[in-house]
Amino acid sequence: MSRQDQVDLLKRLLHYVDTRTTAMADSPWRNEVSVYTCAERLAEEQRVLFRKHPLVMGFGSDWATPGSYSTDDYAGLPILVVRGRDEKLRAFLNVCRHRGAKVADGCGSARVFSCPYHAWTYDLAGKLAGIPDERCFPDVRSERNSLVELPLCEKYGLVWVIPTADGTASFDIDPWLGGLGGELASYGFGSWSFYDRRVIPETMNWKIVVDTFNEGYHIGFLHRDSLRDVLMGNVNDFEAFGLNHRLTFPRRKLERLKAEPEESWDLMWNTSMVYLLFPNTVLIVQGDHVELARVFPREGRTDRSVMDLGLYVPKAPVTAEERAHWDKNMQLVLDVVTGEDFPTGRSIQIGLTSGAQNHLVYGRNEPAMIHYHQSMREALGLRA
Ligand code: FES
Ligand SMILES: [Fe+2]
């Protein structure tokens, strides 16, 4: 974000604080309860959002050197991402071309991938390298000479994959970002380091997990013993970028800026910024570090989800003191999100399936909720 945009955003937040207001939608919006409970709706989300839209896979630095690889099945498909000897990052369906076993497991560093079943091997560019007793497979190598590749984009220090094989190996993320690219670039995530990760399975719809990060209305209440002393409740700046958005939460110390010269104002230290990278990724800029939450439905059920939460830092820690600082931050987000937000999310899922009502209502002070769910309707081709 440019320096001027940062100052303008801080000025908007100070104005909201002074006038006891917040970014507002034009009117409240009612969303159907079935969005969170209907199996057909989930099937449509999986068919469209988790197949045809780019999904964030992580920071580019997760695959730091040639041979670095990771695998996951979150999107409902086994995906392998690996950095080649040419430094290029590639994504493949993690499916052996012999009889379909996974060729790689977990994450780590590899020189080749050898299928555990019959040891067909693949190089880091996905090419089929070896078939034991190949005379038994005449003409097969020419017909299936590599893993099936998925389109991948590494840009702004982040990595996206579209989980549908269409014969292409890459795509440009910019048309999907609605103008957010320059702002993402300004953080310089390309040189950041992974610090820690948690995989958190939940018993609520995956969109309730995302909704956790979509408004600040609840901070003064649900988080009265944790975040209320740090963040102001019910005060947010909101900006949409196509289907994506940025929601900025002012820290309580923001008011001190009024007594300080504008040149010294620091956006990151005085706010928490939540970027929603449509459809399922939440990138939270927290002063001196970033949390990346990737959220998926689980087990094909409307009331099952999983959040993969990673903590990234500008520089890999070298001292015990630095590690203690990042550990404390990881624990803080876990305490708040899994200790306070998610129990409420579980109760919401139960409430939604109770039949108490057909619609939920998002207030004018919840513009990111409205934008997110209207964006989803648009992406699914539903009427606005
Ligand atoms: S399934 Fe992979 S080698 Fe047979
Ligand atoms: Fe919360």
Side-chain angles (χ1 to χ4, degrees):
M1 203 187 302
S2 74
R3 179 68 201 156
Q4 192 54 49
D5 287 345
Q6 293 184 31
V7 170
D8 289 347
L9 202 168
L10 287 166
K11 281 184 175 170
R12 286 201 297 278
L13 287 172
L14 284 168
H15 171 76
Y16 291 141
V17 173
D18 282 346
T19 56
R20 294 176 173 275
T21 181
T22 179
M24 294 267 197
D26 291 338
S27 58
W29 191 67
R30 287 158 185 81
N31 200 10
E32 292 158 17
V33 165
S34 61
V35 158
Y36 299 92
T37 58
C38 168
E40 288 76 39
R41 164 66 185 247
L42 177 63
E44 194 60 5
E45 289 170 354
Q46 287 180 307
R47 189 183 70 81
V48 178
L49 306 180
F50 291 94
R51 285 291 181 282
K52 301 190 189 318
H53 281 254
L55 305 178
V56 172
M57 300 301 286
F59 275 44
S61 54
D62 291 346
W63 301 271
T65 51
S68 297
Y69 75 92
S70 73
T71 63
D72 76 49
D73 298 356
Y74 291 135
L77 289 171
I79 297 176
L80 164 65
V81 176
V82 56
R83 196 171 295 284
R85 291 192 199 290
D86 56 359
E87 305 271 333
K88 203 167 142 18
L89 202 58
R90 297 178 178 84
F92 303 99
L93 287 170
N94 185 10
V95 175
C96 181
R97 300 306 307 274
H98 175 215
R99 281 171 51 201
K102 283 183 186 172
V103 300
D105 200 22
C107 60
S109 186
R111 288 191 299 121
V112 292
F113 297 106
S114 177
C115 180
Y117 206 176
H118 314 92
W120 285 30
T121 54
Y122 303 86
D123 70 15
L124 299 179
K127 284 271 166 296
L128 179 58
I131 302 178
D133 274 322
E134 187 162 356
R135 62 199 155 87
C136 308
F137 292 88
D139 306 327
V140 165
R141 187 190 281 261
S142 59
E143 154 202 317
R144 44 189 67 222
N145 68 348
S146 89
L147 295 171
V148 174
E149 195 156 7
L150 299 173
L152 178 147
C153 176
E154 181 174 13
K155 203 168 188 178
Y156 311 127
L158 296 170
V159 176
W160 290 263
V161 166
I162 300 177
T164 293
D166 64 358
T168 66
S170 62
F171 69 99
D172 183 10
I173 193 62
D174 277 322
W176 300 89
L177 289 178
L180 196 52
E183 193 166 321
L184 290 178
S186 69
Y187 291 103
F189 290 140
S191 61
W192 286 45
S193 296
F194 167 78
Y195 182 69
D196 198 4
R197 159 170 292 128
R198 293 288 190 288
V199 176
I200 302 160
E202 263 305 337
T203 52
M204 65 181 101
N205 188 273
W206 70 277
K207 299 184 296 299
I208 297 179
V209 176
V210 176
D211 287 346
T212 300
F213 306 96
N214 272 340
E215 43 88 10
Y217 183 28
H218 71 283
I219 287 173
F221 312 108
L222 185 66
H223 301 312
R224 63 183 168 275
D225 297 326
S226 53
L227 294 182
R228 192 173 65 174
D229 292 341
V230 181
L231 298 178
M232 290 187 209
N234 210 21
V235 184
N236 288 124
D237 183 76
F238 168 76
E239 200 171 337
F241 298 86
L243 304 178
N244 316 280
H245 68 243
R246 178 204 332 106
L247 189 65
T248 309
F249 297 68
R251 291 176 186 245
R252 291 211 171 267
K253 62 184 174 184
L254 176 92
E255 289 200 88
R256 274 193 246 147
L257 294 185
K258 283 193 253 178
E260 292 172 11
E262 245 174 66
E263 308 79 69
S264 69
W265 288 9
D266 186 287
L267 179 65
M268 280 173 74
W269 276 110
N270 287 286
T271 59
S272 287
M273 279 184 285
V274 172
Y275 292 95
L276 190 292
L277 302 176
F278 191 87
N280 71 326
T281 299
V282 187
L283 179 75
I284 309 165
V285 180
Q286 293 275 38
D288 59 357
H289 66 281
V290 162
E291 292 144 10
L292 182 75
R294 305 165 59 220
V295 185
F296 298 84
R298 184 165 63 89
E299 297 174 21
R301 286 177 58 157
T302 58
D303 60 353
R304 293 286 186 277
S305 50
V306 60
M307 176 171 84
D308 186 313
L309 178 72
L311 191 142
Y312 292 84
V313 298
K315 205 163 62 68
V318 282
T319 66
E321 198 182 354
E322 286 170 330
R323 275 190 287 274
H325 174 73
W326 300 128
D327 287 341
K328 201 175 110 206
N329 276 282
M330 188 68 176
Q331 196 53 51
L332 183 66
V333 63
L334 290 172
D335 287 348
V336 171
V337 172
T338 65
E340 297 176 0
D341 289 302
F342 286 179
T344 306
R346 282 174 226 141
S347 88
I348 290 174
Q349 187 68 37
I350 292 166
L352 295 177
T353 42
S354 72
Q357 52 194 352
N358 293 326
H359 290 83
L360 305 170
V361 61
Y362 309 143
R364 290 189 62 205
N365 58 343
E366 301 178 280
M369 290 288 288
I370 296 174
H371 181 261
Y372 178 57
H373 288 276
Q374 289 187 342
S375 294
M376 201 162 293
R377 291 187 67 86
E378 185 182 328
L380 294 172
L382 304 168
R383 67 195 151 64

